[in-house]
Amino acid sequence: MTPEQVAAASKPLVLDLGDAFTRCPITLRRARLLGISGWAFYVSGRAGALGDVRAETVAAALGFIAPDAVADGWDGAARTVRPFEVAAATLAECCRWGSQHLDTVPGIDRLAVLLERAGAAADASGMPLFAAWRAMLVPGRTAGARAAAGLRLLREHFAGAYLLAVRASGMTPLEAVLAGPEGEAGAMACGWPPPYPPIGPLVRRRLWAEAVTDRLAAPAFAALGPDGGAELLDLLTATRAHLGPVARSYPAA
């Protein structure tokens, strides 16, 4: 398989697994302990790696979430806790979840190594959120914790690559969400209010953007070589099967 083919095949698996920890009740409880809403925990937990920046900067980095919705979550959290602290709490929960759910997965040590190698080799150009997350220290050292952190990092890499590809296609982030599998429901979930533009002419552009996303992410997987890329796919597939319903399909946004 070529690196682009590995990127395309691994993308849905990484998007599933890299976000699974956020659906854990223990993770959601952390928001209450910090004294912020679940939405504020999501926005600051994801973008807090950027540090104390303005909501407009966060909206630009996240891309697919409506700026007003970003501001609600970001400013709401900032009144109680610094953004970087929320990001650190999010990473700690990710590693906690990984130790709890992934340590017993066969081959998890090898998966952690491959994910770390791919994350280190990824090109961060134009992806500030990915670069910020890559610079954070991973607190968990078990194989499951390292794998969970690696999955979360690569998920951010795919999201950043997709945002670049969407803009290069001539679509706005809202148009890309509307043209995606969740359509208007996805747009509403991301805070975009109706009315919405028609999506018919956008579908072909979205498919082009998906292909460009794979091309942009390919250098990360080229570092693994053909055998390592195939092994990564096998381990990702086995890990998702091991987790069962915990892993569900989520868009890159």
Side-chain angles (χ1 to χ4, degrees):
M1 299 178 72
T2 68
E4 285 186 33
Q5 289 172 327
V6 175
S10 66
K11 182 167 57 181
L13 295 164
V14 170
L15 297 183
D16 281 354
L17 295 169
D19 197 45
F21 79 97
T22 66
R23 300 184 291 278
C24 174
I26 300 176
T27 300
L28 299 175
R29 190 185 307 155
R30 180 62 75 97
R32 295 194 296 272
L33 294 175
L34 290 172
I36 59 179
S37 69
W39 177 246
F41 183 70
Y42 171 78
V43 173
S44 284
R46 187 173 167 206
L50 295 171
D52 296 323
V53 300
R54 295 177 63 88
E56 293 87 348
T57 302
V58 176
L62 293 175
F64 297 102
I65 302 176
D68 287 346
V70 169
D72 284 345
W74 185 258
D75 294 338
R79 286 191 288 269
T80 301
V81 60
R82 295 186 64 183
F84 193 82
E85 294 179 28
V86 185
T90 296
L91 184 55
E93 289 299 326
C94 177
C95 290
R96 187 269 316 156
W97 179 89
S99 293
Q100 181 178 350
H101 293 276
L102 300 182
D103 274 352
T104 59
V105 176
I108 196 64
D109 294 67
R110 179 60 176 164
L111 177 59
V113 169
L114 292 172
L115 290 168
E116 289 168 346
R117 190 179 301 169
D123 185 353
S125 302
M127 303 182 194
L129 214 55
F130 167 73
W133 272 99
R134 187 163 62 179
M136 293 189 68
L137 295 177
V138 177
R141 299 315 303 165
T142 71
R146 289 166 48 216
L151 287 162
R152 199 249 168 269
L153 181 62
L154 279 187
R155 189 183 196 280
E156 205 63 70
H157 184 56
F158 274 120
Y162 185 54
L163 180 58
L164 289 174
V166 163
R167 300 305 289 125
S169 75
M171 286 191 295
T172 66
L174 170 58
E175 289 173 333
V177 173
L178 288 171
E182 297 182 2
E184 292 188 0
M188 293 184 66
C190 290
W192 300 98
Y196 302 119
I199 66 170
L202 302 175
V203 174
R204 183 171 295 181
R205 289 191 182 188
R206 183 180 184 275
L207 293 175
W208 181 88
E210 290 281 1
V212 173
T213 300
D214 300 336
R215 196 173 310 143
L216 292 173
F221 302 97
L224 305 181
D227 292 341
E231 185 181 11
L232 175 68
L233 286 174
D234 288 343
L235 290 170
L236 287 172
T237 301
T239 299
R240 187 168 69 170
H242 180 89
L243 291 175
V246 171
R248 295 178 293 176
S249 180
Y250 277 72

